[in-house]
Structures are given as structure tokens and as C-alpha cells.
Amino acid sequence: MKPHKRLCARNDEVPYAQMVGIELLEDDQGLLCLLKENYDNIGNEIIGAIHGGVIGGFLEHAASFHLLDELGAEASPPKIVNLSIDYLRPALHKPTYARGIVVKQGKRIANVRVHAWQEDENRPVACAHAHFLIA
Amino acid sequence: MSKNQYDHIRDIINSLPHCKKIGLHVSALEQGRGKVELQPNPAFIGNVEKNLMHSAIVTTLLDTLCGAVASSAYDEIKTVATLDLRLDHLNRLQGDKPLLGRAECFHYNNDVAYIRGWAWQDNEENLVAKATGSFMNNGPFALKVEQ
């Protein structure tokens, strides 16, 4: 996997993405988001799990960049309207990946779905759907 | 449940690695309700051009607080697992202003606690986000006892 050609630089300019450790990669299916292993993201020390807020934020960040990927890298940042996160399994202290699809892109609103996993994409740790204003 | 045990839970949450990293401070906790505070930090910015905080920050703030309130919803402190969290982002997050929040349990049964929370900047009428979450009750919280 290599850095995402068009969006990587734009992501690297976001201080929050740098703080938690989000990178944008590219594989044969297109954009792939990575939340790197980072002790500062831990929210449950007993089982060593990533903070649920960081997972939610990562899904939201991934959703907005999947939308930007559709809109074109020159588009202005989509504005989040709402986000609904389902937590499916504990996200342990290891690399976490996310991929999304733009379910519907209207004139003003887009609906995006994302899912996150660690070792096995068939065993997601969380999924989310979000609405963004794109006008 | 004595007041001290809510303060103990607050201390545990405030010292979690990610909460410590961003300086998230659950400032009040009692049965079924709580408050949280977060000071602004340049590392929280999501839109540099407009100096706006990343909305992930308010997600983290309300996720933490709603979880803390769910743990404290019952007659004794419980371990809970987040089932889902829905956030309405109502207003832009100013990058240079503190973020405040409160949450309350509006219903619980033996299996699930239902929590709603609000976050604001400046004053409580300037809401930036509203959250609704459900949390599974995983049984009594085992306080770590040093032997």
C-alpha cells in the first residue's frame, strides 16, 4: 500500500489527523484510511482498547475523505450534519483501517457509510453513517 | 454508593491515556448525570483555514461523558460497553474556545442505559452538538484493590 496520491497532502495538513495518527493510503480498491497504533489513543487500559471517541472521529474523518475523493480534491471540505456510530467489537491497540462508500450524493447533501476493522475486514470493529452538506 | 466512588470513577476516566493526551476533564459526576470540560488546543484543529476544531473532538468529549454517565446510571457503578452513539453537529466548533458538555441518563433497565448529552461553547445556549447513545450493562465495576 502506498500513500493516496491526491488526498494524502490534504490530510497531512489537518492537525487533528496528525495528533491521533490518521494516514490516507491507496490500494487496488482505492482510498483506504489508516489509524496507526498509538498509545495516546487508548481509552480502556484494562483491555487495552482504543477510545470510542477516537474510533468515531476516525470513521467521520474517513467518511469525509471518501466523499472528497468523489467530489474531487479541490472541493471545499464537506460540513458534517450528523453521524451515527455502531460499536461492534473492541478496537484493540493495533492498526485500524476504514473504507467507505458514498451511498447518495445529492445537490446539497451526501450520505456516506464507513466501516472500520483491524486484522480482518470481515470482522469490523465499528461502522457508521453520516450526512454531509456539500453545497 | 458513596460520593467518593463517583469521584474515583471520574479520576479513572480523566487519567485514561487519550483523555490525558487531550486534557479532557470530567468535572462532575453523580448518579445519572455529569459534566465535562476541554480547553482548546491547536492540535484539535480540523480546518486550518477557518480555525475550526475537528468535529471528532466533540465526538470524543460526548462519547467519554455519556459512557461515564452510563456507568453511573445504576445504584452501583457498572462497566458498560457502547452500543451506538448518534451525534448531531449543530454548529461550527471555534478553534480557540473551551468546549463544555453535560449528559444525563433518560432511561435504564437491567441491560441497557440510554444517555443524551449536549456540548456548547461560550454559553449553554450556543449548542455545538447533541448526542444520544445506548450502553450495555456489563455488570458491577471491579475497583482495583491494591493488596
Side-chain angles (χ1 to χ4, degrees):
Chain A
M1 277 173 285
K2 49 184 191 199
H4 192 277
K5 215 182 283 169
R6 286 181 300 114
L7 295 172
C8 181
R10 191 157 173 174
N11 173 70
D12 292 349
E13 286 167 9
V14 179
Y16 178 81
Q18 295 304 303
M19 179 178 78
V20 294
I22 298 174
E23 285 184 1
L24 301 189
L25 307 173
E26 193 167 5
D27 67 4
D28 52 5
Q29 292 179 63
L31 174 60
L32 176 68
C33 302
L34 164 66
L35 176 66
K36 292 185 285 184
E37 190 175 319
N38 177 357
Y39 175 77
D40 286 335
N41 289 343
I42 295 291
N44 178 333
E45 282 188 298
I46 298 165
I47 59 169
I50 300 171
H51 195 295
V54 177
I55 292 295
F58 173 53
L59 285 168
E60 181 189 314
H61 192 79
S64 76
F65 272 89
H66 274 89
L67 182 55
L68 265 182
D69 196 22
E70 292 273 319
L71 297 174
E74 299 309 314
S76 51
K79 186 171 171 283
I80 182 112
V81 176
N82 51 40
L83 170 76
S84 203
I85 313 154
D86 290 327
Y87 292 93
L88 307 171
R89 293 183 178 83
L92 301 175
H93 187 207
K94 36 180 122 165
T96 310
Y97 298 90
R99 212 191 290 279
I101 52 159
V102 177
V103 178
K104 194 219 165 187
Q105 185 188 321
K107 280 197 188 97
R108 296 167 64 203
I109 291 280
N111 179 302
V112 187
R113 273 171 201 273
V114 275
H115 63 284
W117 72 94
Q118 295 193 310
E119 277 156 357
D120 180 356
E121 190 166 355
N122 295 315
R123 291 178 60 80
V125 293
C127 59
H129 61 97
H131 288 101
F132 292 90
L133 263 175
I134 51 177
Chain B
M1 179 65 60
S2 71
K3 182 84 182 170
N4 279 342
Q5 274 167 302
Y6 292 113
D7 287 343
H8 184 71
I9 294 299
R10 229 159 42 78
D11 289 344
I12 290 175
I13 292 166
N14 290 337
S15 62
L16 292 171
H18 190 65
C19 296
K20 248 164 70 181
K21 168 77 183 173
I22 67 171
L24 192 71
H25 180 67
V26 177
S27 53
L29 191 63
E30 57 185 273
Q31 186 171 3
R33 63 184 65 235
K35 289 181 177 176
V36 68
E37 309 169 347
L38 181 67
Q39 294 305 313
N41 183 326
F44 301 163
I45 299 298
N47 183 327
V48 178
E49 199 187 318
K50 295 183 174 159
N51 194 36
L52 304 177
M53 263 187 222
H54 199 294
S55 41
I57 288 290
V58 76
T59 302
T60 299
L61 176 128
L62 285 171
D63 176 70
T64 307
L65 181 64
C66 289
V69 169
S71 297
S72 312
Y74 297 82
D75 290 337
E76 56 169 354
I77 301 281
K78 303 287 189 189
T79 300
V80 295
T82 316
L83 294 175
D84 74 337
L85 188 71
R86 142 86 184 219
L87 285 120
D88 288 311
H89 292 281
L90 308 175
N91 239 316
R92 310 205 281 194
L93 297 166
Q94 305 298 330
D96 52 1
K97 289 181 178 169
L99 195 54
L100 303 163
R102 67 179 173 89
E104 64 187 23
C105 173
F106 61 93
H107 184 78
Y108 68 90
N109 55 40
N110 202 30
D111 301 305
V112 180
Y114 301 85
I115 315 294
R116 59 188 162 211
W118 298 265
W120 64 90
Q121 287 183 313
D122 291 323
N123 64 66
E124 213 172 322
E125 271 122 58
N126 277 339
L127 284 179
V128 290
K130 184 189 179 230
T132 311
S134 55
F135 296 81
M136 194 171 63
N137 168 16
N138 278 349
F141 181 81
L143 294 175
K144 246 190 251 170
V145 182
E146 284 183 39
Q147 304 260 330

